[in-house]
Amino acid sequence: MASDRGLDRVAGRRRASRDGRRAMTLLEIVLTLSLLVILAAVTWPALGRPMARQRLRQSADQVRAEWVRARVDAMSTNRTYVFRFTPDSDTYTVQAYASEDEAAWDLSLTSDETESPLEANSRQRRLADKIRFVAGETGTAAAAGGLRNDDALTSSGFDQRIFFYSDGTCSDAQLQLANEYGRTIILSLRGLTGVVTVSEPVSSETAAP
């Protein structure tokens, strides 16, 4: 009987010891999580800018890839493709014209006329989170064929357009992307060759107009 009571006391002490360790472990977890939350709140602003810069680069690479794809599609299908975007938005579309004649007709429209219908099988994409188009300039494309008008590419007001032609040429174009911290990146498209260049991210004050 005495030995049984002794064993019970030992078992009780062991349970108490385990319970005490369990309570301390839970407390340590709570303290550790609290410290992590505080540390994250302190360091997040410092991490936000590099992450935003990375999203800006990713969006520039995304647009560059879309331009390359549109040029290849135009040459492989013998049709004109158009990249359309709206400043101060994060959305763009890439779509084929039904014919070269319709593309030429669309370029001749004034702002109060109805635009030429485009094919329904367009692809619409968005830039990375908090990245937007802030400016764009398009000019005379370099190839022959009649689809050339300095002002028509930006005459619609609502959106701006960059054309890719079946002969491999395209509109001369330059556009800017910006993140929430005012950093911008510039993409330039050479109409004669379709070569795309991408600048380094800079502050909006030092970005080229």
Side-chain angles (χ1 to χ4, degrees), residues 21 34-35 49 52 76 85 107 112 123 129 135 165 176 189:
R21 285 199 300 270
S34 300
L35 290 175
R49 289 182 180 274
S76 62
F85 69 97
L107 287 177
D112 58 350
R123 59 181 183 269
D129 186 38
Y165 304 108
Q176 292 184 33
L189 177 64

Side-chain angles (χ1 to χ4, degrees), residues 38-119:
I38 295 172
L39 186 61
V42 172
T43 59
W44 181 254
L47 296 175
R49 289 182 180 274
M51 294 174 65
R53 189 179 300 113
Q54 181 62 26
R55 285 187 279 105
L56 187 61
R57 291 179 181 274
Q58 290 175 350
S59 294
D61 290 338
Q62 177 182 340
V63 172
R64 175 168 54 183
E66 291 286 4
W67 286 355
V68 171
R69 180 180 174 184
R71 182 169 179 264
V72 171
D73 288 344
M75 291 188 294
S76 62
T77 62
N78 198 33
R79 306 168 85 170
T80 296
Y81 274 72
V82 60
F83 177 97
R84 309 177 72 151
F85 69 97
T86 302
D88 294 324
S89 78
D90 62 354
T91 305
Y92 62 86
T93 59
V94 183
Q95 196 164 24
Y97 275 89
S99 69
E100 296 281 335
D101 291 337
E102 285 184 354
W105 177 78
D106 184 72
L107 287 177
S108 67
L109 294 176
T110 61
S111 59
D112 58 350
E113 291 179 304
T114 303
E115 293 188 2
S116 165
L118 298 176
E119 290 192 337

Side-chain angles (χ1 to χ4, degrees), residues 179-201:
N179 63 20
E180 67 271 31
Y181 294 102
R183 304 286 291 186
T184 64
I185 197 167
I186 300 173
L187 293 93
S188 300
L189 177 64
R190 184 69 179 270
L192 181 63
T193 60
V195 173
V196 183
T197 57
V198 181
S199 72
E200 289 296 319

